[in-house]
Amino acid sequence: MGRNQKTSRLNRFVTTTNNTLVGPATPARSADAEINQQLTAADKLEMLGDMFRIRRFEQTALQYYQAGQMGGFLHLYIGQESVAVGTLSVRGDDDHVIGGYRTHGQALLMGLSMKECMAELFGKSTGCSKGKGGSMHFFAPDKNYWGGHGIVAGQAPLGLGLAYALKYRGLKGCCLCYLGDGAVNQGAYHESLNLASLWDLPVIYIIENNRYSMGTSQERSSAYRTSLAARAEGYNIEWDMINGEDVYEVRAGTWKAIERARRESRPSVLEISTYRYYGHSVADANAKKYRTPEEIEKYRQLHDPLRLWQRTLLEEGVATEAQAAELDAAARKEVAEAVKFAQESPLPAEADILADVYYEVDRQTVAGRTGRHFFN
Amino acid sequence: MGRNQKTSRLNRFVTTTNNTLVGPATPARSADAEINQQLTAADKLEMLGDMFRIRRFEQTALQYYQAGQMGGFLHLYIGQESVAVGTLSVRGDDDHVIGGYRTHGQALLMGLSMKECMAELFGKSTGCSKGKGGSMHFFAPDKNYWGGHGIVAGQAPLGLGLAYALKYRGLKGCCLCYLGDGAVNQGAYHESLNLASLWDLPVIYIIENNRYSMGTSQERSSAYRTSLAARAEGYNIEWDMINGEDVYEVRAGTWKAIERARRESRPSVLEISTYRYYGHSVADANAKKYRTPEEIEKYRQLHDPLRLWQRTLLEEGVATEAQAAELDAAARKEVAEAVKFAQESPLPAEADILADVYYEVDRQTVAGRTGRHFFN
Amino acid sequence: MRRITYRKALNEALAEEIERDENVVIIGEEVAQYNGAYKVTEGLWARFGDKRVVDTPISEAAFVGLGVGASMLGLRPVVELMFWSFAYVAYDQIVNNAGCIRYMSGGSIHVPLVIRGPANAGTNVGATHSHTPENSLANVPGVKVVCPATAYDAKGLLKTAIRDNDPVFVMENTLLYGESWEVPEEEYLIPLGVAEVKREGADVSLIAHGRAVITSLKAAELLAANHGIHAEVLDLRSIRPLDEEAILRTLAKTHRAVLVDENKPFCGVSAQIASIIQEKAFDELDAPVGRVCSLDAPAIYSPPLERIQLPTPERVVEKVLQIT
Amino acid sequence: MRRITYRKALNEALAEEIERDENVVIIGEEVAQYNGAYKVTEGLWARFGDKRVVDTPISEAAFVGLGVGASMLGLRPVVELMFWSFAYVAYDQIVNNAGCIRYMSGGSIHVPLVIRGPANAGTNVGATHSHTPENSLANVPGVKVVCPATAYDAKGLLKTAIRDNDPVFVMENTLLYGESWEVPEEEYLIPLGVAEVKREGADVSLIAHGRAVITSLKAAELLAANHGIHAEVLDLRSIRPLDEEAILRTLAKTHRAVLVDENKPFCGVSAQIASIIQEKAFDELDAPVGRVCSLDAPAIYSPPLERIQLPTPERVVEKVLQIT
Ligand SMILES: Cc1ncc(C[n+]2csc(CCOP(=O)(O)OP(=O)(O)O)c2C)c(N)n1
Ligand SMILES: Cc1ncc(C[n+]2csc(CCOP(=O)(O)OP(=O)(O)O)c2C)c(N)n1
Ligand SMILES: [Mg+2]
Ligand SMILES: [Mg+2]
């Protein structure tokens, strides 16, 4: 099987024997990058707050899911917060975002309220998808957030299309399209890379490499020489490997790609190393079989992006312990309110099952009133 | 669009200004390769004969197609004969072959008789697919020839499966899977590369790069850095670029890949430069629009694989003009007999429309006689 | 009135809509510089340029998905599939992304996308190239499917499809591209979901879509000439939305129906129509609804055989005689 | 008799066939080391090892196509789709390669392949994961489709499917995996194409497949208890081949039918059955054939809503009351 030559870079914290908190490989360089120098203390605190928001939101969702108050899947982002926070903290207002089914983090950062997200998980009509999409299918196009897609890599061509529309219409901005390390083996992703390069589209594919696709390690699912991102070379696309636990590095790498998209209308592929603490989805009974409890524990202890960022801010003197605790408390409060909102919200009505299928029917246009649209 | 850095190697005869017959770049080396040193004069003549067979077969098919005696498409291989002849001349009896819809050449070399191939084109029941497949769908599994596939790159996973079965069953041999330069942009091909490498499968993907997919040049359809084959690197697969007009080079490169498959059970990707003289299919009314008549003429004059090989044999003193003419005459005779056979053969019977759908029904097994299989 | 081909009618529809709306863009394999594999887009690239008429690599999943994504952000892509048969390499993008995103987003997104191309057997291109997926795609709530039978309908339906705000799949027919019909110079639109009686008759209703309409019209000729049976031919034009009223109307008149389509029979369009008729016109029916479909095997290559694999006027006549 | 779950029954079928025939190999995402996303393959990797139970990357087109190719050369691959919904990224391999190669090769190749996995809505996993493609796939001549409703049927049908020499698509149901039924210890096979009367009755026939059979049985209870109506429940088990005789037999007895399936209605399986019944049992019918399908929208997430989007016993009862 596979003959992958691992780079020490991506996996370096996997093989570390150092028992202390591991810092980024090139802390000085990344932190010194212009995009990071511009950060104010408030900006940095906001990012910490965002990490708390994502984590507390999901921890609470998990409880209600386990209590049977939600259906379907729940793919938790916990452990990966620095990726969403880092990448989206450099996003401009004109940039658009689309991703897979492990994207609560991105959604919350794109301006979706916790209330509408929590309500969606509860299947309520006040949810961001009116209770029709569920955990995998959050949407807020008015906020440049295009989902939430359940089919692995199904979003890759859509992201391409968003970038295409931006370019076609002469609009500013680019599209950030997230996918997993397992998703790179879907054909649609490759077709998309070719088109992105051939047509000079401003799309950035962000591979959140959390080392596993369900129970399958990267080594068991992908053949590669140096990295997954390097496949981009075959399409003449610039790519980068980024240490996901270093928010500065994530920001610097993403910014470079965004600049490339804006200035040259060229695509990029970024592979960001990260880790998920929970199972593939909550129902993943085998969460502990394909990796050791020690591995998970090591990540929690040594590589937790939230703790690492918090420590960075403390070390930089940007935040105090008390400020961090305040941010946490605010996040918890926001979550509690979101739960209350979700619980008190109504379910969709029975008639809603047949709404939102056809635009023309929903608007009761002439087209929507012509011919039979629904059958039984 | 595209920012491809062309290698001079693949396209070197495109840019040549030399007005004489262009020889292979590394004639000494390729001809000296062990696999070529082993060739007897008879072997070399047989290869020339095979080229004549393919060319005369297709030229005649073209006439009957234009006379309305065939239906559907007719994708001619003329101009590319050296690829099929070169690659398949090093094939062992245990090796299997599968390809796309421009594969009459391969079929004829795999032991399908001209008669059954011509009869297939005429839609007769004596055809290699009983008149059910047509030009794109020749089959002869008893001769290790697995088609003839009309969906671009649809054969890529099938070739993988043939290789998988060989390995699983502990059989010798590998699978040669042909596809075009346009086919590399189908997702299924990429998924196949990953699996081939990950599972160490003895499959060789042979990209017949004739520079166009229908009316689209390689530059307009593919983004790449150095070559299409180099995408294999992203999957840690060995790859090679081969000058298709040099039979020796084709043989040497293919042999290396076959050895790799046999000894290491590892896949390869070979990109073989070649050219087609006719339109994409005969019905391609635009055959002359997307490339200049001069370009086509230049290939015919300077790069014709049949003429080049014939000249090599003359220069080597392996063949005389008379011998070459004899081979041509034999090929023409074989074609004439094939046409006669095809013309005199019966059409499938009306009842045959519903045969060959289900194995169990065809054999009238208990399963085939249970329940309704066909509807109306 | 002038007569133009089905191909030309489609071409005019595309040109007019490109001119009318700057967000209309034609995307597909060989649609631009090559003028279209079947020449439906002939001259459009020369006239409207690179931006509006775009050649793609052979990557249906990516460019169909691109069309969906671009439509979400305000474009009106008209994606050509060289054959609808190639939809199968892009099926996930078609069903899940074109078909379900509006719903999953609670109606916050809409997908004003057209996918068009030929969807027919009968040209001896073999089983892989001869699929007719209108039945399976019309199964997907959220999409619309139209199958024009004439040049007039092709133009009017395609124009409407492009202006529609839902994904519309236009299924054409290579055997009709070269046929001519009367088409006015003036602009017109044909609503989706409105069937048309293409021939009046009182004895039996032939209900069809796409080229099967032409087959039905020929059958109606034969029935009148040889059997004194006056068949009404109803062209559904649009499979979804479906003009159920028109179906029931002709049934109320004739009390007998033969459904003709080029689908493979199992769960073909005519299965659905038969199901509707027996449910809603049970008491109107004087005989079981008959169906004439393609013979139930993958498309055969051999030209004379494939001709009879498709519904023929003779088979329609035979079926009519069985139920009258 | 012992009772085992539907999941366990499938697991036993796989284990027995792996043992019986060295060419049977299980291929799919997470089927080996993870024991299957839904645990259908639990323990098989531990017992039979790497060669016989194979984990794949998320590349359905490639590994389904690999299964087709390997089956052509003598293997009997049993490919698991984690959900049949993911068939859409492999649809070309399924329809054109599994479905058409035998025909296009003039019968010189056969494809003894099984593709199996769950094909159902009802677990709130959203529209993309809730497709039921049995109707569309059974449309393809060359393939077979079975939809077991009980553990007993699941085991017997899967074993037969693996031994069958044509491509057989086994569509299971995640909502049934945990349910238990009586299943003998001894080996048995159930032929494809044989329906089963799961409950006798003389007043109306409920004809169903997959989990809709369970719904129909519950409806029959309600009809008996509350309305004194004795419904016969016919489980098709196999969609293609189809036990048409059994359908006509129950119709000849009850003269009324309600068809229940979880497809979306347009061109769903019940459309085809309705079409057959009205054609072949026209004079037997005392009322139009009724249909109860999923409500015609993509699968909704919200759990209480999705429960009623699927056919419920109550809706079946209501439809029966309408036609009796
Ligand atoms: C086409 C398709 N195949 C399979 C699945 C089931 N599935 C959902 S997520 C997943 C693993 C994806 O792993 P990865 O891309 O690494 O993302 P992660 O879950 O680690 O975020 C699988 C197999 C799917 N949703 N779509
Ligand atoms: C999936 C799919 N898309 C489109 C086509 C139509 N088509 C057939 S051949 C072809 C061009 C292929 O070019 P290439 O791979 O370079 O092979 P060549 O014809 O040059 O041998 C196209 C677009 C097809 N058969 N299948
Ligand atoms: Mg992952
Ligand atoms: Mg080519």
Side-chain angles (χ1 to χ4, degrees):
Chain A
M1 297 265 158
R3 299 177 175 209
N4 303 316
Q5 302 155 15
K6 274 143 238 130
T7 51
S8 55
R9 184 144 180 255
L10 175 66
N11 294 309
R12 71 179 175 283
F13 37 80
V14 180
T15 48
T16 184
T17 52
N18 189 336
N19 219 18
T20 59
L21 211 59
V22 174
T26 49
R29 219 204 42 216
S30 295
D32 288 349
E34 200 192 325
I35 187 77
N36 290 326
Q37 288 294 317
Q38 295 167 358
L39 284 173
T40 64
D43 293 335
K44 294 182 185 184
L45 281 170
E46 190 183 328
M47 282 191 269
L48 184 62
D50 280 338
M51 289 197 200
F52 277 119
R53 291 178 68 239
I54 297 170
R55 185 158 301 184
R56 300 307 171 223
F57 175 86
E58 288 205 326
Q59 285 171 333
T60 302
L62 173 60
Q63 287 167 21
Y64 286 95
Y65 183 91
Q66 286 172 329
Q69 306 226 13
M70 296 168 184
F73 298 131
L74 188 71
H75 303 95
L76 297 179
Y77 197 65
I78 295 178
Q80 307 188 192
E81 294 93 338
S82 55
V83 180
V85 169
T87 53
L88 293 177
S89 67
V90 297
R91 180 185 82 88
D93 286 345
D94 301 318
D95 299 325
H96 294 253
V97 169
I98 190 167
Y101 49 82
R102 191 185 302 287
T103 41
H104 299 156
Q106 282 86 342
L108 289 172
L109 297 172
M110 289 297 290
L112 282 77
S113 74
M114 267 197 204
K115 286 183 178 168
E116 59 188 334
C117 291
M118 194 63 86
E120 186 62 31
L121 296 179
F122 276 79
K124 298 301 180 73
S125 66
T126 53
C128 54
S129 303
K130 294 193 194 161
K132 293 184 167 174
S135 162
M136 301 195 288
H137 307 115
F138 286 7
F139 287 89
D142 56 321
K143 304 185 175 74
N144 293 1
Y145 185 66
W146 298 95
H149 294 273
I151 298 297
V152 164
Q155 72 274 26
L158 297 176
L160 198 67
L162 294 168
Y164 188 90
L166 290 173
K167 185 172 179 181
Y168 183 99
R169 294 174 60 192
L171 299 175
K172 282 194 211 153
C174 66
C175 175
L176 282 69
C177 180
Y178 295 81
L179 66 164
D181 51 292
V184 301
N185 298 316
Q186 272 286 319
Y189 168 62
H190 293 275
E191 296 188 6
S192 299
L193 288 186
N194 184 52
L195 271 178
S197 182
L198 194 67
W199 290 354
D200 294 320
L201 297 180
V203 59
I204 301 170
Y205 288 104
I206 299 177
I207 303 168
E208 297 196 60
N209 187 341
N210 60 12
R211 302 185 47 213
Y212 297 92
S213 49
M214 292 192 69
T216 306
S217 65
Q218 176 180 342
E219 286 68 33
R220 293 207 303 126
S221 70
S222 292
Y224 57 95
R225 199 154 279 175
T226 58
S227 67
L228 300 178
R231 289 183 184 170
E233 216 154 293
Y235 306 92
N236 200 26
I237 294 179
E238 300 289 335
W239 56 278
D240 206 353
M241 303 276 293
I242 294 173
N243 176 2
E245 70 186 22
D246 179 356
V247 172
Y248 288 130
E249 191 175 329
V250 173
R251 284 174 48 86
T254 308
W255 179 246
K256 245 168 86 175
I258 289 180
E259 286 279 281
R260 182 178 298 126
R262 289 188 187 156
R263 298 211 176 131
E264 307 168 39
S265 194
R266 285 292 295 168
S268 306
V269 173
L270 307 180
E271 179 175 345
I272 307 186
S273 62
T274 185
Y275 197 77
R276 66 166 155 78
Y277 297 163
Y278 289 90
H280 166 71
S281 88
V282 175
D284 175 1
N286 281 348
K288 284 171 189 138
K289 284 204 185 141
Y290 49 85
R291 46 186 192 175
T292 60
E294 291 75 33
E295 177 180 305
I296 302 174
E297 201 42 37
K298 191 183 70 191
Y299 272 94
R300 282 188 189 271
Q301 291 306 322
L302 306 182
H303 307 285
D304 183 62
L306 204 164
R307 289 179 59 217
L308 285 169
W309 184 239
Q310 180 168 335
R311 166 173 298 212
T312 301
L313 299 200
L314 294 177
E315 284 174 0
E316 289 183 3
V318 160
T320 62
E321 293 273 6
Q323 277 177 307
E326 254 171 50
L327 290 171
D328 190 4
R332 288 174 195 270
K333 179 153 173 277
E334 193 183 351
V335 174
E337 284 165 7
V339 169
K340 185 157 182 288
F341 174 81
Q343 286 174 324
E344 289 173 358
S345 289
L347 285 168
E350 205 172 316
D352 289 339
I353 292 177
L354 295 182
D356 303 320
V357 180
Y358 293 101
Y359 175 101
E360 305 287 357
V361 174
D362 294 335
R363 308 275 158 132
Q364 279 295 299
T365 62
V366 174
R369 284 180 280 114
T370 305
R372 183 171 178 186
H373 285 74
F374 296 99
F375 298 83
N376 55 26
Chain B
M1 297 266 158
R3 300 179 173 208
N4 305 316
Q5 302 155 15
K6 277 143 234 131
T7 49
S8 55
R9 187 145 177 254
L10 175 67
N11 294 309
R12 71 179 174 284
F13 39 80
V14 180
T15 48
T16 184
T17 52
N18 187 336
N19 218 16
T20 59
L21 212 59
V22 174
T26 48
R29 218 203 44 211
S30 294
D32 288 348
E34 200 192 326
I35 187 77
N36 289 326
Q37 287 295 316
Q38 294 167 359
L39 285 172
T40 63
D43 293 336
K44 294 182 183 183
L45 281 170
E46 191 183 327
M47 282 191 268
L48 184 61
D50 280 338
M51 288 198 198
F52 277 119
R53 291 178 68 237
I54 297 170
R55 185 157 301 185
R56 300 307 172 221
F57 175 85
E58 287 204 328
Q59 285 172 332
T60 302
L62 172 58
Q63 287 168 21
Y64 286 96
Y65 183 91
Q66 285 172 329
Q69 308 226 11
M70 296 167 185
F73 298 132
L74 187 70
H75 304 95
L76 298 178
Y77 197 65
I78 294 177
Q80 305 188 193
E81 294 93 338
S82 55
V83 180
V85 169
T87 53
L88 292 178
S89 67
V90 297
R91 180 185 81 88
D93 285 345
D94 301 318
D95 298 325
H96 293 252
V97 169
I98 191 167
Y101 49 81
R102 192 184 303 286
T103 40
H104 299 156
Q106 281 86 342
L108 289 171
L109 296 173
M110 290 298 289
L112 282 77
S113 74
M114 269 198 201
K115 286 182 178 169
E116 60 189 332
C117 290
M118 194 63 85
E120 186 61 32
L121 297 178
F122 276 79
K124 297 302 181 71
S125 65
T126 52
C128 54
S129 303
K130 294 191 192 161
K132 292 183 168 175
S135 162
M136 300 196 288
H137 306 115
F138 286 6
F139 288 89
D142 56 321
K143 302 184 177 74
N144 292 2
Y145 185 66
W146 298 95
H149 294 273
I151 299 296
V152 164
Q155 72 274 24
L158 297 176
L160 199 66
L162 293 169
Y164 187 89
L166 290 172
K167 186 172 179 182
Y168 183 98
R169 295 175 58 192
L171 300 174
K172 282 194 210 153
C174 66
C175 175
L176 282 70
C177 180
Y178 296 81
L179 66 162
D181 52 293
V184 301
N185 298 315
Q186 273 287 319
Y189 169 62
H190 294 276
E191 296 188 6
S192 298
L193 288 187
N194 184 52
L195 272 180
S197 182
L198 195 66
W199 291 353
D200 294 320
L201 297 181
V203 59
I204 302 169
Y205 287 105
I206 299 177
I207 304 169
E208 297 197 60
N209 187 341
N210 60 12
R211 303 186 46 212
Y212 297 92
S213 50
M214 292 194 68
T216 307
S217 65
Q218 176 180 342
E219 287 67 34
R220 293 207 302 125
S221 69
S222 292
Y224 56 96
R225 199 154 279 178
T226 57
S227 68
L228 301 178
R231 290 184 183 168
E233 217 154 292
Y235 306 92
N236 200 25
I237 294 179
E238 300 290 334
W239 56 277
D240 206 353
M241 304 276 293
I242 294 174
N243 174 2
E245 71 187 23
D246 179 356
V247 172
Y248 288 130
E249 192 175 329
V250 174
R251 283 174 49 86
T254 308
W255 179 245
K256 244 169 87 177
I258 288 181
E259 286 277 281
R260 183 178 297 124
R262 289 188 187 156
R263 297 207 178 133
E264 307 168 39
S265 195
R266 286 291 296 168
S268 306
V269 173
L270 306 180
E271 179 175 346
I272 307 186
S273 61
T274 185
Y275 197 78
R276 67 167 155 78
Y277 297 163
Y278 288 90
H280 166 71
S281 86
V282 174
D284 173 1
N286 280 349
K288 284 170 189 135
K289 283 203 185 140
Y290 48 86
R291 48 186 190 174
T292 60
E294 292 74 33
E295 177 181 306
I296 302 175
E297 200 44 37
K298 192 184 70 189
Y299 272 96
R300 281 186 188 273
Q301 292 305 322
L302 306 182
H303 306 284
D304 183 64
L306 203 165
R307 289 178 59 218
L308 285 169
W309 184 238
Q310 180 169 334
R311 166 172 298 208
T312 301
L313 299 200
L314 295 177
E315 285 174 359
E316 288 183 4
V318 160
T320 62
E321 294 273 6
Q323 276 177 308
E326 254 170 52
L327 290 171
D328 191 3
R332 288 175 195 271
K333 181 153 172 275
E334 193 184 350
V335 174
E337 284 166 7
V339 169
K340 185 157 181 288
F341 173 80
Q343 286 174 324
E344 291 173 357
S345 289
L347 286 167
E350 206 172 313
D352 289 339
I353 292 177
L354 295 183
D356 303 320
V357 180
Y358 293 101
Y359 174 101
E360 304 288 356
V361 174
D362 294 336
R363 308 274 159 132
Q364 280 295 299
T365 61
V366 174
R369 284 179 281 115
T370 305
R372 183 170 180 188
H373 285 74
F374 297 100
F375 297 83
N376 55 26
Chain C
M1 205 187 292
R2 68 169 184 159
R3 292 172 69 87
I4 61 172
T5 60
Y6 188 99
R7 169 186 289 115
K8 177 71 181 146
L10 290 164
N11 182 278
E12 286 186 1
L14 292 170
E16 289 173 19
E17 296 306 304
I18 290 174
E19 282 205 305
R20 180 177 175 275
D21 183 342
E22 62 181 8
N23 289 317
V24 171
V25 52
I26 316 292
I27 298 175
E29 290 158 14
E30 310 293 348
V31 295
Q33 301 189 24
Y34 193 86
N35 280 314
Y38 286 98
K39 303 283 164 280
V40 170
T41 55
E42 184 143 39
L44 298 181
W45 177 68
R47 187 163 157 210
F48 299 107
D50 278 336
K51 181 171 182 184
R52 312 298 298 279
V53 190
V54 183
D55 279 330
T56 67
I58 312 171
S59 305
E60 283 84 356
F63 71 72
V64 167
L66 180 148
V68 177
S71 79
M72 303 190 310
L73 198 47
L75 300 197
R76 292 188 169 272
V78 180
V79 173
E80 173 173 311
L81 289 171
M82 196 180 287
F83 287 76
W84 262 101
S85 286
F86 307 155
Y88 296 163
V89 296
Y91 218 60
D92 171 59
Q93 295 296 322
I94 294 173
V95 173
N96 280 318
N97 287 351
C100 299
I101 283 182
R102 176 171 178 74
Y103 194 74
M104 294 192 302
S105 71
S108 63
I109 294 177
H110 64 288
V111 176
L113 168 75
V114 169
I115 307 180
R116 53 155 290 276
N120 61 284
T123 61
N124 324 129
V125 288
T128 55
H129 283 53
S130 303
H131 296 292
T132 55
E134 64 267 30
N135 53 335
S136 300
L137 285 171
N139 177 241
V140 178
V143 312
K144 302 177 177 176
V145 180
V146 301
C147 302
T150 69
Y152 179 84
D153 292 342
K155 181 171 180 180
L157 289 170
L158 178 54
K159 282 170 68 77
T160 307
I162 294 172
R163 298 187 197 181
D164 196 276
N165 287 300
D166 293 304
V168 185
F169 304 156
V170 182
M171 307 216 179
E172 307 159 3
N173 192 306
T174 50
L175 288 167
L176 299 180
Y177 280 150
E179 303 284 314
S180 295
W181 281 268
E182 289 194 341
V183 175
E185 305 272 0
E186 314 76 59
E187 177 170 67
Y188 62 95
L189 295 167
I190 299 175
L192 312 186
V194 179
E196 186 183 58
V197 174
K198 286 256 175 0
R199 177 186 174 118
E200 304 238 8
D203 300 337
V204 62
S205 301
L206 305 180
I207 304 176
H209 66 273
R211 181 170 165 273
V213 173
I214 312 303
T215 308
S216 299
L217 287 168
K218 287 186 191 144
E221 295 280 347
L222 295 176
L223 285 165
N226 304 336
H227 305 279
I229 294 174
H230 301 285
E232 178 145 307
V233 176
L234 181 70
D235 177 1
L236 296 173
R237 299 203 288 203
S238 165
I239 303 304
R240 186 170 188 152
L242 181 72
D243 190 348
E244 188 172 288
E245 284 168 26
I247 294 170
L248 299 177
R249 220 178 294 127
T250 185
L251 252 294
K253 186 170 161 190
T254 66
H255 308 290
R256 288 169 204 274
V258 168
L259 315 180
V260 189
D261 68 26
E262 298 190 351
N263 277 166
K264 299 291 147 54
F266 198 94
C267 290
V269 169
S270 53
Q272 177 63 34
I273 310 295
S275 157
I276 290 176
I277 292 174
Q278 69 83 33
E279 182 197 351
K280 301 228 166 150
F282 189 73
D283 295 327
E284 296 281 1
L285 279 177
D286 289 344
V289 177
R291 293 172 63 190
V292 177
C293 306
S294 288
L295 299 182
D296 202 10
I300 195 168
Y301 160 65
S302 186
L305 279 290
E306 198 189 14
R307 208 181 43 74
I308 58 178
Q309 186 173 16
L310 290 179
T312 56
E314 294 70 28
R315 265 213 282 145
V316 177
V317 167
E318 200 181 307
K319 180 60 78 177
V320 168
L321 296 180
Q322 275 174 28
I323 64 154
T324 47
Chain D
M1 205 188 291
R2 69 170 183 158
R3 291 172 70 86
I4 61 172
T5 61
Y6 189 99
R7 169 186 289 119
K8 177 70 180 146
L10 290 164
N11 183 277
E12 287 185 1
L14 293 171
E16 290 173 18
E17 296 305 305
I18 291 174
E19 282 205 305
R20 179 175 175 276
D21 182 342
E22 63 181 8
N23 288 317
V24 171
V25 51
I26 315 293
I27 299 175
E29 290 158 14
E30 309 294 349
V31 295
Q33 300 188 25
Y34 193 85
N35 281 314
Y38 285 99
K39 303 285 164 279
V40 170
T41 55
E42 183 144 39
L44 297 181
W45 177 67
R47 186 162 156 210
F48 298 107
D50 278 337
K51 181 170 183 185
R52 312 298 297 280
V53 189
V54 183
D55 279 330
T56 67
I58 312 172
S59 305
E60 283 84 356
F63 72 73
V64 167
L66 179 148
V68 177
S71 79
M72 303 191 309
L73 199 46
L75 301 198
R76 292 188 169 273
V78 181
V79 173
E80 173 172 313
L81 290 172
M82 197 181 286
F83 287 75
W84 263 101
S85 286
F86 307 155
Y88 295 163
V89 295
Y91 218 61
D92 172 59
Q93 294 297 323
I94 294 173
V95 173
N96 280 318
N97 287 350
C100 299
I101 283 183
R102 176 172 178 73
Y103 194 74
M104 294 192 301
S105 71
S108 64
I109 294 176
H110 64 288
V111 176
L113 168 75
V114 169
I115 308 180
R116 52 155 291 278
N120 60 285
T123 61
N124 325 128
V125 288
T128 55
H129 283 53
S130 303
H131 297 292
T132 55
E134 64 267 30
N135 54 335
S136 300
L137 285 171
N139 176 242
V140 178
V143 311
K144 302 177 178 177
V145 180
V146 301
C147 303
T150 69
Y152 179 83
D153 291 344
K155 180 169 180 182
L157 290 169
L158 177 53
K159 282 170 67 77
T160 306
I162 294 173
R163 298 187 197 179
D164 196 276
N165 288 298
D166 293 305
V168 185
F169 304 155
V170 181
M171 306 213 178
E172 307 158 3
N173 193 306
T174 50
L175 288 168
L176 299 179
Y177 280 151
E179 302 285 312
S180 295
W181 281 268
E182 289 193 342
V183 175
E185 304 272 2
E186 313 76 59
E187 176 168 68
Y188 64 94
L189 296 167
I190 299 174
L192 313 186
V194 178
E196 186 183 57
V197 174
K198 287 257 178 354
R199 178 187 173 117
E200 304 239 7
D203 298 337
V204 61
S205 301
L206 306 180
I207 303 176
H209 67 274
R211 181 170 165 273
V213 172
I214 312 302
T215 308
S216 299
L217 287 167
K218 287 186 192 144
E221 294 280 346
L222 295 176
L223 285 165
N226 305 337
H227 306 279
I229 294 174
H230 301 285
E232 177 145 309
V233 177
L234 181 69
D235 176 2
L236 296 173
R237 298 203 289 202
S238 165
I239 303 303
R240 185 169 189 154
L242 181 73
D243 191 347
E244 188 173 288
E245 284 167 27
I247 295 171
L248 298 178
R249 221 180 294 127
T250 185
L251 251 295
K253 187 171 162 190
T254 64
H255 309 288
R256 288 169 204 272
V258 168
L259 315 180
V260 190
D261 69 26
E262 298 190 352
N263 277 165
K264 299 290 147 55
F266 198 94
C267 291
V269 168
S270 53
Q272 178 63 34
I273 310 293
S275 158
I276 290 176
I277 292 175
Q278 71 82 33
E279 182 197 349
K280 301 228 166 149
F282 189 73
D283 294 326
E284 297 280 1
L285 280 178
D286 289 344
V289 178
R291 292 172 62 192
V292 178
C293 305
S294 287
L295 298 182
D296 202 11
I300 194 168
Y301 160 65
S302 187
L305 279 292
E306 198 188 13
R307 211 181 41 74
I308 57 179
Q309 186 173 15
L310 289 179
T312 56
E314 293 71 27
R315 267 212 283 144
V316 177
V317 167
E318 199 181 308
K319 179 61 78 176
V320 167
L321 295 180
Q322 275 172 29
I323 64 155
T324 47

